[in-house]
Amino acid sequence: MSMLTPPGMGGKYRITGDVYPRMRRPHRRRRIVLASAAAVVVLGAAGWGTLQLVDVFSGDDNPKTVAGKQADCKPAPTPSTAAAATLPKPAQLTVNVYNATPRSGLAKATADELKKRGFAIGKVGNAPAAYDKKVKGTGLLLGAGAAGKGAFSVLGTQLAGTTTKVDARTTADVDLIIGTAFKALSPKATADAALVALNKPKPAPARC
């Protein structure tokens, strides 16, 4: 009897020779492997679903989405052409120059300079009693309600610090009432640059 044969076991249970019965591996390791693989698949699916939810609720935070929207955006039409069409040219604007200060000769000197700069000149003289010595700033621009659409802006490029006011007139002329803080018109180069900038406003932001 072989030494490997347990005591009391013989016959068909007897183990002889060098060949031993093959023992089957337990199924526990296979179950662990399968369970691990299933866990990896479940975790991967959960992670993918989470990313999809983040993309849905984040909206424009997705770079691809934002880039796509930017590619589809078209710049808004620049208002420069329309603005230039509504703004009168200096030659189309008649300016009445009135002096509301105690200093003499300001109205004529100012009117002469405005004429050199291309403005049409109307009346020149002392300010009406309602404004005489009552304009504290550099000047007051006075005109009809329609003047606010362009005439005030164009004339305002020639003198910094002016204020505006509308009255009941129906004509297109504009009054420049010189105030007590007036010293001189803006330098011509400065006024010309302001006039150019006025006719070329910044373009509106793109709309998607």
Side-chain angles (χ1 to χ4, degrees):
M1 179 174 64
S2 171
M3 295 178 64
L4 298 177
T5 303
M9 298 183 63
K12 62 180 179 179
Y13 299 103
R14 186 177 180 180
I15 302 174
T16 61
D18 297 329
V19 179
Y20 302 96
R22 180 175 296 176
M23 305 299 290
R24 293 184 178 181
R25 293 183 179 180
H27 296 287
R28 182 177 301 175
R29 180 177 298 176
R30 183 179 300 174
R31 294 194 191 99
I32 293 174
V33 172
L34 292 176
S36 300
V40 170
V41 172
V42 172
L43 291 175
W48 181 84
T50 303
L51 290 176
Q52 294 300 313
L53 290 176
V54 170
D55 289 341
V56 170
F57 290 103
S58 63
D60 290 340
D61 291 338
N62 188 337
K64 294 182 179 179
T65 302
V66 175
K69 288 185 177 181
Q70 289 177 347
D72 295 337
C73 291
K74 295 182 179 180
T78 176
S80 59
T81 303
T86 58
L87 292 176
K89 297 183 182 301
Q92 298 173 325
L93 187 57
T94 299
V95 182
N96 305 313
V97 184
Y98 298 110
N99 184 9
T101 75
R103 293 172 287 170
S104 62
L106 287 182
K108 186 178 184 307
T110 301
D112 290 344
E113 181 60 28
L114 288 175
K115 186 176 181 179
K116 292 179 182 178
R117 298 183 183 187
F119 289 87
I121 302 301
K123 299 178 181 179
V124 179
N126 294 326
Y131 298 101
D132 190 27
K133 300 179 180 63
K134 296 177 183 178
V135 179
K136 303 300 182 183
T138 58
L140 171 66
L141 305 183
L142 184 64
K149 297 180 180 180
F152 285 162
S153 298
V154 173
L155 184 55
T157 61
Q158 308 301 307
L159 178 60
T162 57
T163 57
T164 61
K165 183 178 179 180
V166 298
D167 57 14
R169 77 181 70 186
T170 58
T171 56
D173 59 321
V174 177
D175 297 346
L176 168 57
I177 304 177
I178 300 172
T180 55
F182 176 85
K183 293 182 179 179
L185 292 174
S186 299
K188 188 177 184 303
T190 302
D192 289 346
L195 192 58
V196 170
L198 186 65
N199 284 277
K200 293 182 180 179
K202 295 181 180 179
R207 294 174 293 181
C208 301

